[in-house]
Amino acid sequence: MAATPVWSVDPRTGKQLGRVAVEATPRDVDEAVRAAHAARGALADRAARTAFLRAAADLLDGAADEVVEAADAETALGPGRLTGELARTTGQLRAFADAVDEGSYLDIRIDRADPSLSPPRPELRRYKVPLGVSAVYAASNFPLAFSVPGGDTASALAAGCPVVVKAHPDHPATSELCVSLLRRAAVGAGLPAEVVSVVHGFGAGLELIRHPLVTAAGFTGSIRGGRALFDAAAARPVPIPFHGELGSLNPVVVTPAAAAERAEEIGTGLAGSLTLGVGQFCVKPGLVLVPEGPDGDRLTAALGKALGETGPGVLLDHRMRDAFVAGVRERSALPGVETPVAPGPDGEHRVVAGYLSVPARTLLDGGPSYGVLLEECFGPVGVVVRYAGPEAAEVLARLGGNLSATLQLSSAETAGAPGPAAELVGKVTALAGRIVVNGWPTGVAVAPAQHHGGPYPAATSHSTSVGATAIERWLRPVVYQSVPDALLPAELREGNPLGLPRRVTGA
């Protein structure tokens, strides 16, 4: 049977740029996973891991022009956006190297024996160990930061887990270039190149999640694709953790007081967030609750003006473009839904941004067909829901889990006194993993306190895919009870020979 070629495609024209690789067969996947499994012992060396992560960042920075050019050719995201994304990617790699150096991710806890307690307490020493070979499914919309060299890969490697990445079909040449740099960095740090590898093809993704030596998986993509992999991970003879980011509506609530205070500012800011990256960010504000009345009208007028001044853009591939056009058509055909600025196709390859508007009462009383307005539509479109009184809370009550929820409040509402604004914060806290006040959700800072996840379907677990604590997804705790010091891992031995942070009997 002939190998299936993998082509690099220019989304600006739909033309093939060149043959990059072939789709992995089941045997190819098996060989990649087994090679990664054999290399896992080398990653136990924390010094080698940190050297590897820093070297990978340096090589990516050194090849910045080539990497950005390859990614732009396959995604049309533009050199400016991609240069920033590369900086974010290499920053993540260095941040995880720092985390491994510092050592608190091991969560070392020691409880001294105390026979006076009831029941008596034995000597207990606990820390975390890597799970093993991890599968990473690359994202379409971030060819660097959420793909081959991205946060899932970096955090898994930092934890000591070899990684096999299922490359996204939208950027195979970028994936091959990046994995070659990562493998060079591994060898330069004294590690086997096989600690990280890439496979291509839809079938390879299924083979990967089912492989008995794969111990965990990370995914960023659609609800449909992520749920299929999540179910496959759970259906294995030995189920494994599946950390999936599946989709998010990212609701925004504009209070009447905020609209009265700064309607034009909010409308213009919303347009910028809605169209950033041609509306292809996972935290794009897709549903916006705007009060009825003149202040809300001023806000939507500013939104429409800013969207009308936004030029057409190119989506990541023609399949996504077709889905965007079909999604807008389905939503705008619902009775009572208006298109003040019509989003849709612009020629054969481009799209234009816009927004849909619907009264809250129509959405709430319209029946099951209106549920599509509460689902993500990937691309530069948002749904504005005009509400009165308690209708905003009724709409929020119908939402599933989200990565983010944003509140636009007035200066008086942010003064800190208990009241409706505090109640609103409580309502959206139940819906999302990140709450934004008087900002916009697009732009997820890479920081120790960050959380990028949320209740299902935003994510399939309660972990984060951004920030230092993302490393926790690839670890499991082990406790040693009454084990002689000479038999303990070095991290747990008396005297703390590695100088790691630890909590001893609560202190």
Side-chain angles (χ1 to χ4, degrees):
M1 184 175 175
T4 303
V6 174
W7 295 89
S8 177
V9 176
D10 182 353
R12 295 179 174 96
T13 63
K15 294 181 180 179
Q16 293 177 339
L17 297 172
R19 176 172 165 164
V20 174
V22 296
E23 292 189 1
T25 64
R27 180 174 179 177
D28 295 333
V29 174
D30 180 62
E31 289 177 353
V33 173
R34 291 188 181 279
H37 182 71
R40 71 193 189 285
L43 281 174
D45 185 333
R46 289 173 55 243
R49 291 210 306 278
T50 57
F52 167 33
L53 293 168
R54 291 183 178 122
D58 290 344
L59 286 176
L60 285 162
D61 280 340
D65 290 346
E66 185 181 3
V67 171
V68 168
E69 182 180 5
D72 181 51
E74 293 185 310
T75 66
L77 289 173
R81 147 73 195 271
L82 290 165
T83 297
E85 186 180 333
L86 179 60
R88 171 196 178 120
T89 303
T90 57
Q92 285 180 150
L93 287 162
R94 294 186 178 100
F96 280 115
D98 292 343
V100 175
D101 266 348
E102 190 266 343
S104 62
Y105 75 98
L106 292 167
D107 194 22
I108 298 173
R109 296 169 183 264
I110 298 171
D111 286 326
R112 304 289 189 195
D114 189 343
S116 69
L117 296 177
S118 181
R121 184 176 67 207
E123 183 88 359
L124 299 171
R125 294 174 181 251
R126 179 187 188 272
Y127 80 143
K128 293 182 178 179
V129 298
L131 291 173
V133 179
S134 299
V136 168
Y137 292 81
S140 62
N141 56 341
F142 282 84
L144 304 173
F146 281 85
S147 292
V148 172
D152 282 354
T153 299
S155 57
L157 291 169
C161 296
V163 174
V164 180
V165 183
K166 191 275 180 187
H168 197 280
D170 279 355
H171 35 79
T174 308
S175 299
E176 287 292 332
L177 172 58
C178 289
V179 80
S180 70
L181 294 170
L182 293 183
R183 289 166 73 92
R184 274 177 54 195
V187 172
L191 297 170
E194 291 78 13
V195 296
V196 60
S197 58
V198 160
V199 295
H200 297 268
F202 177 80
L206 293 175
E207 291 291 331
L208 191 57
I209 200 69
R210 294 168 179 160
H211 198 288
L213 293 180
V214 168
T215 60
F219 170 90
T220 302
S222 68
I223 293 178
R224 181 180 177 185
R227 184 55 194 254
L229 291 170
F230 178 55
D231 291 346
R236 292 166 40 121
V238 178
I240 60 172
F242 182 85
H243 303 290
E245 179 194 317
L246 308 190
S248 183
L249 197 59
N250 307 299
V252 177
V253 181
V254 182
T255 66
E261 188 173 84
R262 47 193 178 87
E264 289 79 12
E265 176 189 332
I266 294 171
T268 302
L270 172 59
S273 186
L274 189 67
T275 58
L276 189 65
V278 202
Q280 297 172 114
F281 277 42
C282 50
V283 286
K284 179 198 76 174
L287 184 81
V288 187
L289 290 153
V290 175
E292 293 180 350
D295 295 325
D297 293 343
R298 289 192 297 118
L299 189 158
T300 55
L303 169 63
K305 181 177 184 294
L307 289 175
E309 295 170 352
T310 302
V314 177
L315 296 184
L316 292 161
D317 62 36
H318 281 63
R319 176 182 57 83
M320 292 184 188
R321 180 183 179 276
D322 292 344
F324 168 73
V325 171
V328 169
R329 185 185 304 120
E330 178 185 11
R331 289 162 173 80
S332 59
L334 293 168
V337 175
E338 298 179 350
T339 53
V341 179
D346 180 77
E348 188 179 354
H349 305 292
R350 303 186 303 179
V351 298
V352 292
Y355 79 96
L356 313 179
S357 182
V358 63
R361 202 71 262 155
T362 301
L363 171 62
L364 292 166
D365 297 342
S369 60
Y370 285 78
V372 70
L373 297 173
L374 303 181
E375 297 174 2
E376 180 182 19
C377 186
F378 200 66
V381 61
V383 175
V384 171
V385 179
R386 300 299 298 270
Y387 75 90
E391 290 174 342
E394 292 180 60
V395 174
L396 291 175
R398 297 211 180 171
L399 301 185
N402 290 272
L403 296 170
S404 72
T406 298
L407 304 178
Q408 296 293 339
L409 306 176
S410 69
S411 54
E413 289 171 322
T414 58
E423 294 174 11
L424 193 52
V425 170
K427 279 185 170 60
V428 296
T429 296
L431 296 176
R434 178 165 59 104
I435 312 305
V436 181
V437 172
N438 291 352
W440 297 105
T442 41
V444 182
V446 180
Q450 186 59 273
H451 181 78
H452 190 61
Y456 185 86
T460 59
S461 71
H462 298 305
S463 60
T464 179
S465 61
V466 178
T469 53
I471 197 172
E472 295 172 0
R473 296 173 296 168
W474 319 105
L475 299 163
R476 68 177 179 88
V478 179
V479 65
Y480 295 83
Q481 179 176 324
S482 305
V483 175
D485 197 63
L487 303 181
L488 287 168
E491 291 85 350
L492 297 179
R493 288 179 188 162
E494 194 65 22
N496 197 7
L498 301 182
L500 295 168
R502 44 172 58 177
R503 180 173 292 274
V504 180
T505 316

